[in-house]
Amino acid sequence: MRRETLINTVLTLGLLAVPLAAWAMDEPYTITLATKVVILALAGVGLNLALGLGGLVSLGHAMFFGIGGYAAGILASHAQSYDPIMEWPFLIEGTQSMPVIWLLAIVVSALVALATGALSLRTSGVYFIMITLAFGQMFYYFTISWPAYGGEDGLSIYVRDRFPGLNTLDPMHFFGLCFALLMLGLFIVARISRSGFGLALNAARQNEARVRAVGIEPYRLRLIAFVISGAITGLAGALYADLNRFVSPVMFSWQTSGEIMIFVILGGVARLFGPVAGAALFIILEEVLGGVSDYWHIYLGALLLIVVLFARGGLIGLLAGRNGGGGHD
Amino acid sequence: MTESLLDIRGISKSFGALKASDDVSLDLKQGEIHALIGPNGAGKSTLIAQIAGSLRPDSGEVWLEGRNVTHHDTVARANAGLGRTFQISSLAMEDTVLQNAVLGALGARHRVPGVWRPVMRDSDLRATAIEALREVGLEEFAHFRTADLSHGQRRQLEVAVALTLRPHVFLMDEPMAGLGAEGSAILVEFLRNLKSRAPILLVEHDMDAVFQLADRISVLVYGRIIATGSPDEIRANREVREAYLGEEDEE
Ligand SMILES: Nc1ncnc2c1ncn2[C@@H]1O[C@H](COP(=O)(O)OP(=O)(O)O)[C@@H](O)[C@H]1O
Ligand SMILES: [Mg+2]
């Protein structure tokens, strides 16, 4: 077994063992924390496809995270108030069914990624960063000033949305659901990065002229990557809304984009399980250091600096050594 | 209608006051190697870039197999059958040698690569890629990281990737540069056979190689073609000797 595969397996088992132990010891808070790690990791898995494989430094992924969150929040709020979203030309009612909410979160995120990506991918480097940031901020200010859905105060989901056959109010059930989606997300991204598309996308990150010279248009690859990436992060946003039973414009803020990027960088850019390791480390630091000092972000910043300067492969790179990346044989 | 596969018609390109291409016309016929020589800074790479589509000419036209491709971009021209190697190796350095070759084979399929099937297990792509690596003598290095190759090996890989495209026309910018005497000799033999598959527009500094290989030679000086002819004609041309070959001897 490759060393990185071993590390990924250990991470997966650890991520399962923690909530199971917490469940046995009747510590629901720890289960919730593990669920948070899983959901944030999924958001990072989405970003990692664009950032790690595609080299697209998006500071706008909060946009998709927020869209997912508001998809859950808006549908649930209409279901709670029995007030249809629209009656004409046809009736659309709210829902508390997770599969429907997820589908909406994925579709809307993908469409927004298509529109924003089509524009922002015409630029590169620092301009791309600034444009994605600007798109994210547009959504942020829009939700703040949109009173129909709570404006600045956000929206509450009084009872967690439902999934057929599960009791989503049981923290363990909800964890299992999120965990399954994370595994699915990882599987999809692993497949994509080993595909011809992944090979070409990764090559375009390294050398755009090369990819053009073989007759493949990098722009198209990047747009597809951005759309899939946004859809995955959008799904994570919907889960996050259900975890907190609350959504607010903060989900759209650039700090959220930054945090998702921090998971990826801490764990290891372009490493399949990088976002998992990164999100776990982030939450552990937040819990441990946050208990010690209100200024724990300073320590986080120092850690980030060390990773960027000395350990480019992040936590996974440190443990597994060089290479790995796209995972082509 | 000529039998030219590639036809450059009156291309001009200026960078400010500098005329990098000055009304350049040349063509490439089936089965030939047409060498483009000229001193450093004569505008050879600039011309190649305009033929490949990465640089827009100020005026003039590029015709490929009877089609005007002047307004097509690099991607469209690659798909129309132009196989280019770069003067400065332009490869995915973190990827393996085989991955770079597979990328070429993938591009030759002319469609957006699939997102699901593992590409390195695609036996057609692999076969094309490995065959190309074998032809340039890189088969044993297939699983090397491209960044770990020597300079000369990277040049060979450039050629291998162009082969996987099965182009109708090859554009090669100094493929021998940095290959060493032995490497150059092997590549000379290889190109001599390759031209029957597709004609080659060859930019080359190595005069021995050029005079051995070329069916026709064009001499570019300060962006202008001062002579086109057979190797013997070029060798005998006074203007060429003064402008270029003479200088070379004095170095
Ligand atoms: N993008 C550019 N901008 C300005 N000048 C350029 C550019 N590219 C090339 N040149 C100039 O054009 C001339 C021809 O360059 P080049 O085509 O690379 O020559 P060669 O390949 O024959 O050595 C040189 O003087 C070079 O400095
Ligand atoms: Mg040159």
Side-chain angles (χ1 to χ4, degrees):
Chain A
M1 199 189 278
R2 272 170 67 234
R3 188 133 156 226
E4 188 168 338
T5 315
L6 183 72
I7 290 164
N8 294 349
T9 310
V10 169
L11 254 174
T12 308
L13 293 177
L15 205 52
L16 268 175
V18 168
L20 279 173
W23 175 64
M25 292 187 289
D26 197 21
E27 295 255 16
Y29 178 65
T30 307
I31 304 179
T32 301
L33 275 187
T35 311
K36 191 171 171 184
V37 168
V38 165
I39 294 171
L40 295 179
L42 183 62
V45 168
L47 176 63
N48 203 18
L49 181 65
L51 177 67
L53 205 62
L56 307 173
V57 186
S58 163
L59 251 186
H61 262 53
M63 177 162 59
F64 311 120
F65 198 61
I67 285 170
Y70 271 83
I74 291 173
L75 285 179
S77 77
H78 282 279
Q80 285 160 4
S81 64
Y82 300 100
D83 171 25
I85 295 170
M86 61 188 233
E87 288 172 286
W88 192 90
F90 38 82
L91 181 72
I92 298 182
E93 286 182 284
T95 177
Q96 287 220 279
S97 160
M98 284 188 182
V100 176
I101 289 169
W102 296 346
L103 188 69
L104 186 76
I106 288 170
V107 168
V108 177
S109 299
L111 288 175
V112 170
L114 184 66
T116 57
L119 292 171
S120 51
L121 287 168
R122 295 187 186 281
T123 67
S124 60
V126 78
Y127 297 99
F128 179 78
I129 300 177
M130 295 315 288
I131 289 183
T132 51
L133 176 69
F135 277 127
Q137 290 302 93
M138 275 167 54
F139 276 88
Y140 174 69
Y141 288 113
F142 177 72
T143 43
I144 279 188
S145 55
W146 195 24
Y149 296 108
E152 209 170 348
D153 299 330
L155 272 176
S156 286
I157 302 171
Y158 298 110
V159 180
R160 188 174 280 159
D161 295 313
R162 285 180 293 273
F163 189 86
L166 291 178
N167 173 15
T168 54
L169 293 173
D170 180 328
M172 212 47 214
H173 281 207
F174 186 57
F175 171 83
L177 200 56
C178 295
F179 184 81
L181 287 175
L182 173 63
M183 290 298 128
L184 182 66
L186 285 166
F187 175 67
I188 289 172
V189 170
R191 284 295 295 225
I192 291 174
S193 55
R194 284 164 181 268
S195 70
F197 172 81
L199 180 74
L201 179 67
N202 193 28
R205 174 180 62 78
Q206 299 169 56
N207 193 329
E208 200 171 297
R210 164 45 60 206
V211 175
R212 287 219 169 86
V214 302
I216 300 175
E217 179 53 62
Y219 174 81
R220 205 179 294 179
L221 300 172
R222 291 178 179 140
L223 187 56
I224 295 169
F226 198 68
V227 167
I228 299 172
S229 166
I232 294 174
T233 301
L235 174 62
L239 296 175
Y240 198 67
D242 257 324
L243 175 72
N244 300 318
R245 287 177 235 172
F246 175 68
V247 293
S248 80
V250 173
M251 283 184 83
F252 279 114
S253 70
W254 65 268
Q255 287 93 334
T256 302
S257 291
E259 280 185 10
I260 299 172
M261 192 174 292
I262 288 172
F263 309 146
V264 176
I265 294 172
L266 274 185
V269 176
R271 304 297 182 127
L272 182 61
F273 272 67
V276 181
L281 185 63
F282 187 91
I283 296 302
I284 291 169
L285 287 176
E286 188 177 49
E287 283 302 305
V288 174
L289 295 177
V292 179
S293 158
D294 285 343
Y295 303 108
W296 75 278
H297 282 100
I298 295 174
Y299 301 103
L300 177 71
L303 182 68
L304 206 57
L305 209 60
I306 292 171
V307 168
V308 171
L309 289 177
F310 303 112
R312 275 295 174 77
L315 202 56
I316 301 276
L318 213 56
L319 298 172
R322 199 177 80 165
N323 205 14
H328 291 278
D329 17 80
Chain B
M1 198 75 246
T2 61
E3 49 181 328
S4 303
L5 264 74
L6 180 66
D7 201 1
I8 313 305
R9 300 182 185 167
I11 277 192
S12 292
K13 177 82 193 175
S14 299
F15 297 115
L18 179 81
K19 281 210 145 185
S21 304
D22 188 356
D23 194 22
V24 175
S25 294
L26 59 81
D27 70 337
L28 187 63
K29 294 183 168 57
Q30 191 63 270
E32 75 167 345
I33 293 183
H34 189 157
L36 185 66
I37 63 173
N40 253 324
K44 303 181 296 293
S45 293
T46 303
L47 186 61
I48 292 283
Q50 291 171 94
I51 299 171
S54 52
L55 194 65
R56 279 274 134 88
D58 297 337
S59 59
E61 291 177 349
V62 178
W63 289 68
L64 185 65
E65 295 186 288
R67 276 171 53 201
N68 184 348
V69 296
T70 313
H71 299 289
H72 295 188
D73 66 3
T74 320
V75 172
R77 291 187 206 189
N79 283 315
L82 215 53
R84 173 194 196 184
T85 71
F86 293 84
Q87 179 175 6
I88 296 162
S89 295
S90 187
L91 299 158
M93 299 304 276
E94 296 168 24
D95 286 351
T96 65
V97 169
L98 183 60
Q99 284 172 337
N100 271 284
V102 165
L103 178 69
L106 193 64
R109 284 186 171 169
H110 305 308
R111 45 183 139 92
V112 179
V115 296
W116 201 246
R117 302 212 355 241
V119 67
M120 298 310 284
R121 290 203 214 122
D122 184 315
S123 47
D124 287 350
L125 293 178
R126 266 188 105 97
T128 307
I130 287 176
E131 171 61 14
L133 293 178
R134 196 189 55 73
E135 286 191 83
V136 302
L138 274 182
E139 199 184 5
E140 300 158 58
F141 298 92
H143 297 287
F144 274 52
R145 229 167 74 105
T146 303
D148 295 334
L149 292 184
S150 72
H151 178 75
Q153 287 169 327
R154 289 181 203 166
R155 309 315 319 268
Q156 289 169 288
L157 181 53
E158 279 277 332
V159 175
V161 177
L163 291 180
T164 63
L165 299 176
R166 303 188 203 281
H168 305 161
V169 163
F170 284 103
L171 287 183
M172 297 193 176
D173 198 354
E174 303 204 23
M176 322 248 169
L179 275 192
E182 194 197 352
S184 288
I186 294 171
L187 193 56
V188 164
E189 268 328 293
F190 179 71
L191 296 185
R192 200 195 301 283
N193 294 320
L194 184 64
K195 70 176 182 182
S196 61
R197 257 189 262 172
I200 306 169
L201 181 62
L202 176 71
V203 170
E204 192 44 66
H205 236 81
D206 181 340
M207 282 306 129
D208 292 339
V210 166
F211 281 96
Q212 279 179 57
L213 269 176
D215 300 290
R216 282 193 298 159
I217 299 176
S218 289
V219 184
L220 195 69
V221 178
Y222 295 123
R224 266 186 52 239
I225 291 194
I226 60 167
T228 297
S230 70
D232 288 339
E233 287 165 355
I234 294 299
R235 222 178 315 227
N237 186 308
R238 265 251 323 276
E239 203 183 347
V240 172
R241 292 174 75 99
E242 279 164 17
Y244 180 45
L245 295 175
E247 291 172 14
E248 190 88 336
D249 287 343
E250 284 157 28
E251 274 174 16

